[in-house]
Amino acid sequence: MTVPSSIPTVWILGDQLNRHRGALRDRSPGDCRVLLVESRAKLKSKRWHVQRLHLVVSAMAHFAAELAAEGFDVDHRQAPTLADGLRAHCDQFGVDEVLAMEPMSWDGRALLDRLGVATVANDQFLCDYRDFGDWATDRETAGKRLTMEDFYRWQRTELDVLMDGDKPAGGRWNFDADNREPPPKDGRTWPTITRFEPDDIDRAVLGRLAEAGTEVWGEPPDGLWPVTRAQALTRLDEFLTYGLAPFGPHEDAMLAEEWKLAHSTLSPALNLGLLHPGEVVERAEAVYRRGDAPINSVEGFIRQVMGWREYVWGLYWLWMPDYRDQNQLGACRPVPPAFTGAATTDMACVASVVGNVRQRGYAHHIERLMVLGNLALTAGVDPWAMTDWMWANFVDGAEWVMLPNVIGMALHADGGRMATKPYASGGAYINKMSNHCRDCRFDPKKRTGDTACPFTTLYWDFLARNEKALGKNHRMARQFGGMRRLADLDETRIRAADVLAKLDAGSL
Ligand code: SF4
């Protein structure tokens, strides 16, 4: 279709791949031109996991092809930077009006402002961040904390999700207590998921990334992650049919031989816009209403999508840009070589989780929080370095996701604004919630000696190191009481110094 130059351009960013949202919502072929820019600077801005990079670039290319097939005049171009791509597009087509959906990042929003791009509200979430800001102001004015639980209950009520009248379905708001079971011992099988056959676009993108000389890490893509809406809907259908019912009870469990258990693996598709959280929540509730999944599983899943994910999105906009610089515990250690692939490790739990990240660019939430995050917290890894590493290496990575999850939740670098106490634990938690310790050369019960579990040693050292900053936190009184009663604290701290040196050297 030939499009006159006087019509506006709708600029689609790489994490806004939804035909029915934002600036594309009411558009038809012929009334606008569509621009997608593949920025070479962005491709080279980090040492990305190859599957993360491929997913974004391939999903953009598929989206561009789908819009073209619908009849849109699509300019999908490669350029040195996003700004260069926009300028070249405007010069080529004589465009003087460019519209976009609000970007998902602080820097993206600043860039579009500088470039004079008009924006419409970002409607890829259930709760607009401005409404979240109003909620937060009301809470803080009333002297209350901004807890996820309170936000989630407010959203459930406002949006009438899992509600029976004005009461929560199942009689309780929160079924977490039913969802903390250790790994099952019955050798059960977990739901399988479809892998999508790579097509010409996927192959061309992989070739383009190789030609660009982009430094990447990890196993190459094998069709695991949906790159189109149709594929994302297949993943959603499969989860609702096979994964949702068994999801809840073992959502916090970890198994060495099973990378996803019954987790949905929908976060990459949600974070690119291929799925909308509203349709995911609505369909999950419908499964419960049909009696095909128990309330603890459905509530636990909806809590992740409508509670935690939206809460993190709201906090990102509320606390940026200062939040990037938070480092209240003064942590300055580099990301361990055992995480980055520069070294192997004897820590069975870390080796398993990092192996999953290398193979798929993915680890589920408890592996992220209680293995990677916990070790980074107790070892004192620099919060921004850890954020940046997770952003680059997880297929669902983005700054808005990683900043609150890493700086606030995992590393307690914000002084307790988000979480009331640090999520630090020794090897006992991992031993209870996984089968990793069974085959590990370290002993989760020991804190001193060569076979002491690094998690256990570093847990006590973390408390001792941070007693001044955390000792007055009443929620940690029990932990600090335990530390003060340790007869071998000095010996434990000597072992901790050895563990930290080996962690840095990649020889642990
Ligand atoms: Fe991980 Fe410690 Fe258990 Fe080994 S003993 S698997 S290092 S928690």
Side-chain angles (χ1 to χ4, degrees):
M1 178 178 294
T2 305
V3 180
S5 60
S6 58
I7 60 164
T9 284
V10 171
W11 188 7
I12 306 294
L13 302 177
D15 51 6
Q16 301 181 343
L17 308 180
N18 194 310
R19 168 69 183 89
H20 303 291
R21 295 280 160 183
L24 260 188
R25 174 193 278 269
D26 300 315
R27 292 289 175 177
S28 306
D31 69 11
C32 68
R33 191 175 274 113
V34 177
L35 170 67
L36 295 99
V37 179
E38 199 179 293
S39 156
R40 284 194 284 279
K42 191 78 182 162
L43 298 188
K44 295 192 172 190
S45 61
K46 297 182 194 301
R47 181 191 178 229
W48 299 102
H49 193 295
V50 63
Q51 292 187 42
R52 198 272 181 195
L53 198 57
H54 183 268
L55 170 64
V56 177
V57 179
S58 182
M60 282 176 73
H62 281 92
F63 191 62
E66 286 173 5
L67 292 177
E70 191 184 332
F72 281 98
D73 185 342
V74 178
D75 179 18
H76 178 209
R77 63 172 62 221
Q78 284 106 45
T81 65
L82 290 173
D84 290 332
L86 177 67
R87 277 191 284 269
H89 169 84
C90 292
D91 288 349
Q92 181 175 342
F93 297 101
V95 175
D96 51 25
E97 184 186 2
V98 182
L99 298 164
M101 174 156 62
E102 283 176 308
M104 312 268 275
S105 73
W106 185 269
D107 290 345
R109 191 169 72 174
L111 174 69
L112 265 58
D113 283 349
R114 278 201 305 278
L115 295 173
V117 175
T119 57
V120 301
N122 189 312
D123 55 359
Q124 292 194 156
F125 290 80
L126 288 164
C127 182
D128 189 289
Y129 66 86
R130 285 157 285 241
D131 295 336
F132 183 94
D134 291 344
W135 172 81
T137 301
D138 289 347
R139 301 277 307 172
E140 287 176 331
T141 303
K144 294 177 179 168
R145 288 185 63 89
L146 309 180
T147 67
M148 196 290 284
E149 187 66 34
D150 288 339
F151 167 75
Y152 168 66
R153 293 182 188 189
W154 173 60
Q155 284 290 282
R156 287 260 304 269
T157 309
E158 285 286 299
L159 302 175
D160 193 23
V161 171
L162 273 187
M163 298 296 292
D164 292 331
D166 61 355
K167 300 276 188 302
R172 278 159 38 204
W173 291 102
N174 185 327
F175 287 81
D176 276 357
D178 301 346
N179 290 349
R180 294 195 186 111
E181 290 187 21
K185 295 189 177 8
D186 56 9
R188 76 182 60 182
T189 55
W190 299 92
T192 55
I193 52 178
T194 295
R195 279 172 199 267
F196 308 100
E197 191 62 33
D199 63 10
D200 289 345
I201 291 177
D202 292 313
R203 285 185 283 274
V205 167
L206 203 53
R208 210 155 64 236
L209 295 180
E211 275 169 28
T214 314
E215 191 193 355
V216 292
W217 179 75
E219 300 292 326
D222 62 356
L224 177 61
W225 301 112
V227 291
T228 65
R229 176 159 169 79
Q231 292 177 358
L233 286 170
T234 298
R235 180 64 50 87
L236 174 61
D237 289 344
E238 287 179 343
F239 172 67
L240 296 173
T241 306
Y242 306 111
L244 182 56
F247 165 74
H250 300 290
E251 69 167 297
D252 284 358
M254 298 174 275
L255 282 168
E257 61 278 8
E258 172 54 46
W259 66 279
K260 64 161 187 51
L261 293 91
H263 289 275
S264 72
T265 71
L266 292 170
S267 50
L270 279 164
N271 292 359
L272 291 182
L274 298 173
L275 294 175
H276 191 273
E279 64 185 331
V280 172
V281 165
E282 189 180 327
R283 291 192 56 192
E285 177 167 3
V287 175
Y288 167 68
R289 298 292 179 193
R290 287 199 305 271
D292 291 339
I295 184 65
N296 60 308
S297 285
V298 176
E299 191 281 316
F301 176 67
I302 287 178
R303 170 182 295 270
Q304 284 190 336
V305 177
M306 200 175 106
W308 191 255
R309 184 172 182 274
E310 299 275 332
Y311 175 68
V312 159
W313 169 248
L315 287 182
Y316 173 76
W317 289 104
L318 190 67
W319 288 340
M320 277 292 278
D322 302 350
Y323 206 64
R324 273 182 191 148
D325 303 322
Q326 295 291 299
N327 190 359
Q328 299 276 336
L329 298 179
C332 56
R333 196 166 293 283
V335 177
F339 288 8
T340 64
T344 56
T345 178
D346 286 347
M347 292 182 283
C349 54
V350 175
S352 172
V353 174
V354 172
N356 286 337
V357 176
R358 182 178 59 244
Q359 201 174 337
R360 306 176 189 86
Y362 180 86
H364 63 73
H365 72 272
I366 284 297
E367 293 175 331
R368 297 186 200 201
L369 181 66
M370 298 312 291
V371 176
L372 301 175
N374 188 15
L375 188 60
L377 168 69
T378 55
V381 172
D382 177 272
W384 174 253
M386 187 67 185
T387 302
D388 199 45
W389 177 75
M390 294 190 86
W391 177 3
N393 285 288
F394 285 81
V395 282
D396 51 11
E399 187 180 55
W400 68 267
V401 179
M402 291 307 176
L403 263 187
N405 271 307
V406 177
I407 286 189
M409 187 70 180
L411 300 192
H412 204 74
D414 64 356
R417 273 170 109 180
M418 187 174 180
T420 50
K421 67 171 195 168
Y423 275 77
S425 89
Y429 178 88
I430 295 172
N431 193 29
K432 178 181 165 209
M433 295 305 292
S434 81
N435 60 1
H436 291 304
C437 303
R438 186 188 59 193
D439 299 320
C440 185
R441 87 167 178 84
F442 298 112
D443 181 342
K445 293 193 191 68
K446 287 188 180 168
R447 56 183 170 265
T448 59
D450 284 347
T451 58
C453 168
F455 283 83
T456 306
T457 304
L458 291 179
Y459 169 71
W460 295 113
D461 186 59
F462 168 78
L463 292 180
R465 246 185 295 135
N466 293 291
E467 188 172 9
K468 199 167 163 204
L470 301 170
K472 290 198 173 65
N473 183 332
H474 70 278
R475 291 203 64 209
M476 298 196 68
R478 193 174 53 78
Q479 285 99 320
F480 278 106
M483 182 202 75
R484 289 176 197 121
R485 285 194 297 277
L486 288 184
D488 59 358
L489 183 59
D490 289 346
E491 200 186 334
T492 302
R493 297 205 66 189
I494 290 169
R495 162 71 176 157
D498 182 49
V499 165
L500 291 172
K502 287 179 172 154
L503 190 68
D504 288 348
S507 58
L508 191 60

